[in-house]
Amino acid sequence: MTDRVESYIEENQPRFIEELKEFMRFPSVSAQRAHDGDTRACAEWLVAHLARLGFDAQLVDVGGQPIVRAAAKGKASRRAVIYGHYDVQPEDPLDEWKTPPFEPTIRDGILYGRGATDDKGQLFAHVKAVESLLATEGQLPCEVVFLIEGEEESGGDALPRYIEQAQAELACDAVIVSDSTMYDANTPAITNGLRGILAFEFTVKGPNSDVHSGAYGGAVANPAMVVVQMLAACVSPEGKVLVPHFYDDVAPLEDWEREGFGKLAFDDGALARELEVPRLHGEPGYSTLERLWARPTFEINGIFGGYQGQRSKTIIPAGATAKISIRLVPHQDPAKVRDAVFAHLRAVCPDTVRLEIPYSAMSPPVLFDVNTPVIRAAEEALRQGFGREPAFIRCGGSIPVVSTFVEQLQCPVVLMGFGLDSDRPHGPNEHFSLDSFRRGTKAAAHLLRTI
Amino acid sequence: MTDRVESYIEENQPRFIEELKEFMRFPSVSAQRAHDGDTRACAEWLVAHLARLGFDAQLVDVGGQPIVRAAAKGKASRRAVIYGHYDVQPEDPLDEWKTPPFEPTIRDGILYGRGATDDKGQLFAHVKAVESLLATEGQLPCEVVFLIEGEEESGGDALPRYIEQAQAELACDAVIVSDSTMYDANTPAITNGLRGILAFEFTVKGPNSDVHSGAYGGAVANPAMVVVQMLAACVSPEGKVLVPHFYDDVAPLEDWEREGFGKLAFDDGALARELEVPRLHGEPGYSTLERLWARPTFEINGIFGGYQGQRSKTIIPAGATAKISIRLVPHQDPAKVRDAVFAHLRAVCPDTVRLEIPYSAMSPPVLFDVNTPVIRAAEEALRQGFGREPAFIRCGGSIPVVSTFVEQLQCPVVLMGFGLDSDRPHGPNEHFSLDSFRRGTKAAAHLLRTI
């Protein structure tokens, strides 16, 4: 990388950060209809920003939240698609935020706010990388197409549908995704495997309204207790999923990867201290990294039913709901797992209540071959941008669009994350290191020159 | 009963009902601090109302919500204490009310509103009974002391503490309580047994904030899942409580009572249709009335943790809470059951999380000898007021103060309810039959003459 690009990135940091804060001020919460206006306003801001940099930028509306598409030609005819998402998770629990989620605030070189790391900060590193290349070299080293969606956090399908429609015009040599993590604050990483996801909720309905637990307790099924019994029939106290056939297609870890995980010397105690839990927990027989990266899970994301106020209200609730996310690993098939889980829930639900499963969303797990030129170019770009040797890791999370890219565009996908799990991407006080933002911008610029 | 008292009650119904509606408009929700002002205003309204009837009425403040105490002499020196409570349950879920909970509304001879049956309507029948006796006969047939508390729905201990303090001056020949039910709309009843209650909540705390279910799922215990596993370790899917020693002291039903329950010919199908559930549910081996009246239960009143909004938020929640009420039957000891339940919860809670049990409230079960003159007088008063033969029933609910009266005042307690379980006492659209209000007022007046 020329010193001019690196210097430009260094010199313009204060403005880059102010612009990122502007981007983060939009409460673009795609899961909540009340924020639809904010979400669209955020997309429009991005279009205007990319247009000012010289991109042919536009909103693409295929139903759902709009997609930002922006293209600029380059010196070479090679073409990179840079993916990101401008939508964010809901901000609750609001009272646990030290500073408001949509008022980005810097403390000790860390930028706090919803979307800081997931994904506005990481995406914006690429936006500022192209600006820096254009400003110092007059044109981009290759053609760049930004494809930035607004439904990543809500399981929408606008982008997958668009990619399918526009498959031919999106053909490219590589897709670059920065919506994942480094291994730790000092070790940049390329993610070669992602867990898939199956997310759904189910509701158990009992009496037609809340009823007195004295007058009716013992006569009628308690929907909250039924939800409890159903969930206990899905997962053992030890953390083993009890759904029949759940583990059937789980691929055992290959030796080189298990050894690689081992060498990363993951510190269980440090994670327990970070989360302030007495000790870690998970499926017996696997190390923490194996459980996080190569084993499926069944998690309750939310559970609710009945009285939630102060002290007591002695009722049997009319209904209760659980929101579930299941993380999938190669080679589990999401639809097959969904069918197995729903069949199990229906089987264990007693006939004293009514069961509803109003929706589900899913995306398959992915696993990449690491021995490709594009991946090796990314390895070198990270080495230069961060001045450190990158690691190959997997990610416990899911980036549903990655499997769409793999299937529809049939090109290499580079997962080059600048965040950390400890950035609290879906929790209160989400944050992003400004150091990683600066280094990530450099790595992103370098990658476009060598891709 | 003289025709004059009955006539007075009939003629003054419209005004009695307007006054009851006025009483019900106070949102005297004792469980919620935000309503403390309303709760006190309600108590002050009662004091003024009873003073206008000629009672020596006052608020007694011993900490907690104030107690209304009102006394009036009578022709005979015998003395009855009439108990009631002016506080009500929280109104949620608000959106299920057809008319607002604190705007009493009459539809088809039924009065709707929070407190209609529990306990403002039932209590007010006694207030109007003494008014009717005073208006037509110039004085009461016996001395009457109203003792009306404001913490029945929130497990407060102001009244028990006051009764203990004022034990000597409260000495009486009978305590009359109308905070229970008839057997059905046509069958008045005397309740000779009450379940006790143990109410508490527990919270499981995991990570110091909500964390991403992809990044951490598999590594750390999910507090909502821990709550689920703990509850599943407390109750079987069939409805049997699994806490060791839970059933140790449960008294088997005596033959005369089991036969009496059988004769009442309880209709399971009718209850299922009323509640709109596919079928009833409960501990195997017992009839519905046996389960409701003579078997203990373990109910979830509320459960919550994590995301409750639209669609998905893929987190592991920082914590989760369950609110529990356990109904106790003779001769279970609440403190012994509490100790057994808490010990079991601590035993089944894994060491990967922190467990908190912030409070508990309890009251013992009671069972009365029905062969006493006061109970027989009440039987006759109901026969006259309702024109029907009363039944002896038990109540699945708990009236904590009843055992206090039994222990402290050592006098007969008459549980003469005018409500119905189907009045939805703790749910939305709580209501009370104006027919039962009128007949209950007559029965209450008659009882004071024969007690």
Side-chain angles (χ1 to χ4, degrees):
Chain A
M1 180 171 298
T2 63
D3 279 324
R4 285 178 60 210
V5 175
E6 288 221 359
S7 304
Y8 183 90
I9 291 170
E10 292 287 345
E11 283 159 17
N12 287 279
Q13 274 301 296
R15 176 173 57 80
F16 288 1
I17 292 165
E18 284 312 307
E19 290 170 354
L20 172 55
K21 286 164 76 174
E22 206 177 316
F23 184 25
M24 285 167 58
R25 279 189 196 103
F26 293 94
S28 46
V29 181
S30 58
Q32 298 176 343
R33 295 292 68 78
H35 280 300
D36 278 354
D38 301 313
T39 304
R40 175 167 286 267
C42 185
E44 284 167 352
W45 182 91
L46 257 184
V47 164
H49 192 91
L50 287 162
R52 274 200 304 276
L53 298 184
F55 276 72
D56 174 17
Q58 60 204 278
L59 282 192
V60 179
D61 236 320
V62 293
Q65 307 292 357
I67 297 158
V68 175
R69 187 189 188 287
K73 295 281 177 202
K75 204 179 296 180
S77 67
R78 289 179 66 77
R79 183 199 243 182
V81 167
I82 300 176
Y83 164 84
H85 64 90
Y86 65 84
D87 67 321
V88 297
Q89 283 275 316
E91 79 276 22
D92 65 290
L94 191 55
D95 57 359
E96 290 184 25
W97 285 82
K98 283 182 194 138
T99 48
F102 298 108
E103 290 176 25
T105 308
I106 297 169
R107 293 193 290 277
D108 296 330
I110 308 288
L111 177 59
Y112 289 84
R114 175 57 85 225
T117 190
D118 184 13
D119 179 46
K120 288 175 174 174
Q122 297 198 51
L123 166 64
F124 210 62
H126 289 280
V127 175
K128 295 295 102 175
V130 298
E131 177 194 313
S132 303
L133 287 164
L134 286 165
T136 53
E137 303 186 347
Q139 64 177 328
L140 294 172
C142 65
E143 186 177 346
V144 169
V145 178
F146 278 102
L147 213 49
I148 306 168
E149 69 162 321
E151 302 187 337
E152 201 275 338
E153 301 295 5
S154 56
D157 65 349
L159 187 63
R161 281 189 289 114
Y162 173 65
I163 293 171
E164 208 169 328
Q165 283 168 30
Q167 198 178 346
E169 58 183 282
L170 290 173
C172 64
D173 299 286
V175 176
I176 304 168
V177 177
S178 293
D179 188 19
S180 54
T181 64
M182 300 166 52
Y183 175 65
D184 63 28
N186 294 315
T187 316
I190 289 168
T191 301
N192 69 298
L194 290 170
R195 289 200 286 195
I197 190 168
L198 165 64
F200 65 95
E201 70 177 44
F202 70 91
T203 294
V204 167
K205 293 190 171 174
N208 45 13
S209 75
D210 294 348
V211 295
H212 192 298
S213 71
Y216 296 95
V220 66
N222 181 317
M225 188 62 85
V226 172
V227 166
V228 159
Q229 301 292 352
M230 289 171 68
L231 290 168
C234 288
V235 182
S236 79
E238 291 71 36
K240 201 88 192 168
V241 178
L242 304 172
V243 175
H245 305 295
F246 184 78
Y247 294 103
D248 280 6
D249 299 328
V250 172
L253 211 53
E254 283 184 34
D255 288 344
W256 75 268
E257 251 192 308
R258 176 173 289 115
E259 278 164 31
F261 290 3
K263 276 186 199 142
L264 288 171
F266 186 82
D267 184 345
D268 280 16
L271 179 57
R273 283 189 297 279
E274 177 199 323
L275 298 179
E276 296 179 59
V277 293
R279 63 179 184 84
L280 300 186
H281 165 88
E283 192 187 358
Y286 298 90
S287 76
T288 300
L289 283 187
E290 287 167 11
R291 297 197 311 266
L292 281 172
W293 292 349
R295 296 296 298 173
T297 61
F298 185 115
E299 296 287 356
I300 301 172
N301 307 132
I303 189 167
F304 52 99
Y307 184 62
Q308 303 191 18
Q310 290 173 322
R311 294 188 69 89
S312 290
K313 186 180 182 201
T314 47
I315 51 159
I316 295 173
T321 297
K323 288 177 179 276
I324 305 297
S325 65
I326 289 174
R327 299 287 169 173
L328 305 165
V329 299
H331 302 292
Q332 288 180 297
D333 173 53
K336 204 173 149 189
V337 171
R338 177 200 59 200
D339 292 349
V341 170
F342 288 7
H344 185 63
L345 286 174
R346 292 194 179 102
V348 299
C349 182
D351 65 356
T352 51
V353 294
R354 282 158 291 133
L355 172 64
E356 292 174 9
I357 308 180
Y359 81 94
S360 65
M362 57 193 181
S363 112
V366 286
L367 196 57
F368 296 111
D369 179 3
V370 300
N371 294 307
T372 61
V374 169
I375 296 285
R376 294 303 169 189
E379 204 180 352
E380 179 58 25
L382 286 172
R383 198 176 282 127
Q384 292 202 15
F386 284 79
R388 304 270 185 162
E389 196 56 31
F392 283 94
I393 64 174
R394 288 209 206 173
C395 171
S398 313
I399 310 176
V401 80
V402 168
S403 54
T404 307
F405 285 127
V406 171
E407 286 162 20
Q408 298 289 329
L409 305 187
Q410 309 213 326
C411 68
V413 177
V414 183
L415 296 179
M416 184 170 85
F418 307 137
L420 291 171
D421 284 338
S422 57
D423 288 346
R424 308 249 161 194
H426 287 196
N429 305 306
E430 177 179 345
H431 56 272
F432 187 43
S433 157
L434 291 176
D435 221 42
S436 297
F437 175 61
R438 184 173 43 83
R439 289 173 171 171
T441 306
K442 291 180 185 175
H446 190 73
L447 179 57
L448 291 178
R449 306 193 68 198
T450 53
I451 210 157
Chain B
M1 181 170 299
T2 64
D3 279 323
R4 285 178 61 209
V5 175
E6 288 219 0
S7 303
Y8 183 90
I9 291 171
E10 293 288 345
E11 282 159 18
N12 287 280
Q13 275 301 297
R15 176 174 56 79
F16 288 0
I17 292 166
E18 283 313 306
E19 288 170 355
L20 172 55
K21 286 164 78 175
E22 205 178 317
F23 183 24
M24 286 168 58
R25 280 190 196 103
F26 293 94
S28 47
V29 181
S30 58
Q32 298 175 343
R33 293 292 67 78
H35 280 302
D36 279 354
D38 302 311
T39 304
R40 175 167 286 267
C42 186
E44 285 166 353
W45 181 90
L46 258 184
V47 165
H49 192 91
L50 288 163
R52 273 200 304 277
L53 298 185
F55 275 72
D56 175 16
Q58 61 205 278
L59 281 191
V60 179
D61 235 321
V62 294
Q65 307 292 358
I67 297 157
V68 175
R69 186 189 188 289
K73 294 282 178 201
K75 205 179 297 181
S77 67
R78 290 179 64 80
R79 183 198 242 181
V81 166
I82 299 176
Y83 164 85
H85 64 90
Y86 65 83
D87 66 321
V88 297
Q89 283 275 316
E91 78 276 24
D92 65 290
L94 191 55
D95 57 0
E96 290 184 24
W97 285 82
K98 283 183 195 136
T99 47
F102 298 108
E103 291 177 23
T105 308
I106 297 170
R107 293 192 289 277
D108 295 330
I110 307 288
L111 177 59
Y112 288 83
R114 176 57 85 228
T117 191
D118 184 13
D119 181 44
K120 288 175 174 173
Q122 297 197 52
L123 166 64
F124 209 61
H126 289 280
V127 174
K128 294 295 102 175
V130 297
E131 177 194 313
S132 304
L133 287 164
L134 285 166
T136 53
E137 303 187 346
Q139 66 177 326
L140 294 172
C142 66
E143 187 175 346
V144 169
V145 179
F146 278 102
L147 214 49
I148 307 169
E149 70 162 322
E151 300 187 337
E152 201 277 338
E153 301 294 4
S154 57
D157 66 348
L159 186 63
R161 281 190 287 112
Y162 173 66
I163 294 171
E164 208 168 330
Q165 283 168 32
Q167 199 178 344
E169 57 182 282
L170 290 172
C172 62
D173 299 286
V175 175
I176 303 168
V177 177
S178 293
D179 189 19
S180 53
T181 64
M182 298 164 56
Y183 175 65
D184 62 29
N186 295 314
T187 316
I190 290 168
T191 301
N192 68 298
L194 290 169
R195 289 199 287 196
I197 189 167
L198 166 65
F200 65 96
E201 69 177 46
F202 69 92
T203 293
V204 167
K205 293 190 170 173
N208 45 14
S209 75
D210 294 348
V211 295
H212 193 297
S213 71
Y216 295 95
V220 67
N222 180 318
M225 189 60 85
V226 172
V227 166
V228 159
Q229 302 292 352
M230 289 171 68
L231 289 168
C234 288
V235 182
S236 79
E238 292 72 34
K240 202 87 193 168
V241 178
L242 305 171
V243 175
H245 303 295
F246 184 77
Y247 293 103
D248 281 5
D249 300 327
V250 172
L253 211 52
E254 285 183 34
D255 289 344
W256 75 270
E257 252 194 306
R258 176 172 290 116
E259 279 163 30
F261 290 4
K263 277 187 199 142
L264 288 171
F266 186 82
D267 183 346
D268 280 16
L271 179 58
R273 284 190 298 277
E274 177 200 324
L275 298 178
E276 296 179 57
V277 294
R279 63 180 184 84
L280 301 186
H281 165 88
E283 192 187 359
Y286 297 90
S287 75
T288 301
L289 282 188
E290 286 167 11
R291 297 198 310 266
L292 282 172
W293 291 349
R295 296 295 300 173
T297 61
F298 185 115
E299 297 287 355
I300 301 172
N301 307 132
I303 189 167
F304 51 99
Y307 184 62
Q308 303 191 18
Q310 291 173 321
R311 293 188 70 90
S312 291
K313 186 179 183 203
T314 48
I315 51 160
I316 295 173
T321 296
K323 288 176 180 276
I324 305 297
S325 65
I326 289 173
R327 298 287 169 173
L328 306 165
V329 298
H331 303 291
Q332 287 181 298
D333 174 53
K336 204 173 149 189
V337 171
R338 178 199 59 201
D339 293 349
V341 170
F342 289 7
H344 185 62
L345 286 173
R346 291 193 178 101
V348 299
C349 182
D351 66 354
T352 52
V353 295
R354 283 158 290 132
L355 172 63
E356 293 175 9
I357 308 179
Y359 81 93
S360 65
M362 56 192 181
S363 112
V366 285
L367 195 58
F368 296 111
D369 179 2
V370 301
N371 295 306
T372 61
V374 167
I375 296 284
R376 294 303 168 188
E379 204 180 351
E380 180 56 26
L382 286 172
R383 196 176 283 127
Q384 293 203 15
F386 285 79
R388 304 267 185 163
E389 196 57 31
F392 283 94
I393 64 174
R394 288 210 207 172
C395 170
S398 314
I399 310 175
V401 79
V402 169
S403 54
T404 308
F405 284 127
V406 171
E407 285 163 20
Q408 297 289 327
L409 304 187
Q410 311 213 324
C411 67
V413 177
V414 182
L415 297 178
M416 185 171 84
F418 307 136
L420 290 171
D421 284 338
S422 57
D423 288 346
R424 309 248 162 197
H426 287 196
N429 306 305
E430 178 179 346
H431 56 272
F432 188 42
S433 157
L434 291 176
D435 220 41
S436 297
F437 176 59
R438 183 172 44 81
R439 291 174 170 168
T441 305
K442 291 181 187 176
H446 191 72
L447 179 57
L448 291 178
R449 306 192 69 198
T450 53
I451 210 157

